[in-house]
Amino acid sequence: VMAEAAGMSVLNLFAYTCGVGIAAAKAGARFVVNVDFAESALKVGKHNARLNDLPIRPRFVQSDAFAAMRQLAGIGQPEVVRGKRLPAFPRLEAQQFDLVFLDPPRYAKSLFGVVDIVNDYAALMKPALLCTAPGGTLICCNNAAQVPREAWADQLERCARKAGRPIR
């Protein structure tokens, strides 16, 4: 990430304690947005940012990743789905990033969506890809050992093709 981030806009999804975002800022990113649902993780990220004497001030957004990605991608996030009001979420303007880092947990369920990197990585890949500027870089991680690399790469390639984005 540090080799890629200089001069870039960076989106760090499922940021946890914001290590990738802090590294990108340290490497000279133009601006960095860290998104995580957990206030406690973002608090650690803010502390890490203060410890690193960064040239920019990263942004920390406490939000469900699906709600954030949909808004940043310009798809929008409805407040009511199937007659149910969703929990409050921060309003974000549509914006694409030069570098997007996607490192989701193995499985997580919320009212906004389901993270399942074994059976449905594309549900995350597509909105993350739409947050990535044309010609930008989306770094995807999958830490589930039971997913063969070839099958996962094929899923990513199909998703990118459907979105009209090349993979390199």
Side-chain angles (χ1 to χ4, degrees):
V1 169
M2 290 185 82
E4 297 280 331
M8 302 284 188
S9 57
V10 178
L11 174 61
N12 181 20
L13 296 163
F14 299 97
Y16 308 111
T17 57
C18 309
V20 166
I22 303 303
K26 191 76 172 172
R30 271 194 340 268
F31 64 91
V32 174
V33 177
N34 295 288
V35 176
D36 200 274
F37 184 75
E39 180 182 8
S40 59
L42 292 174
K43 186 176 179 181
V44 172
K46 290 174 185 177
H47 178 72
N48 288 341
R50 285 189 299 273
L51 291 174
N52 277 279
D53 189 33
L54 301 175
I56 62 165
R57 176 181 235 161
R59 184 172 177 198
F60 300 89
V61 178
Q62 183 184 354
S63 176
D64 184 282
F66 283 110
M69 286 189 289
R70 287 181 188 125
Q71 292 179 87
L72 292 168
I75 299 168
Q77 175 61 59
E79 293 180 16
V80 178
V81 175
R82 292 184 209 104
K84 287 189 170 184
R85 180 164 291 286
L86 295 174
F89 54 89
R91 303 287 178 225
L92 302 170
E93 295 294 321
Q95 179 179 4
Q96 291 186 318
F97 295 81
D98 301 314
L99 177 62
V100 176
F101 190 80
L102 177 63
D103 186 12
R106 158 70 185 81
Y107 184 86
K109 189 174 179 181
S110 79
L111 295 173
F112 294 95
V114 176
V115 173
D116 184 350
I117 66 171
V118 173
N119 298 306
D120 192 13
Y121 201 97
L124 294 166
M125 164 84 170
K126 184 178 179 183
L129 187 59
L130 295 175
C131 291
T132 308
T137 301
L138 170 59
I139 299 173
C140 299
C141 300
N142 186 331
N143 298 308
Q146 69 265 42
V147 178
R149 185 191 187 290
E150 298 78 25
W152 182 63
D154 183 55
Q155 188 179 48
L156 297 180
E157 288 173 10
R158 277 194 319 261
C159 183
R161 239 187 342 269
K162 285 180 183 179
R165 297 287 187 94
I167 285 186
R168 57 180 160 78

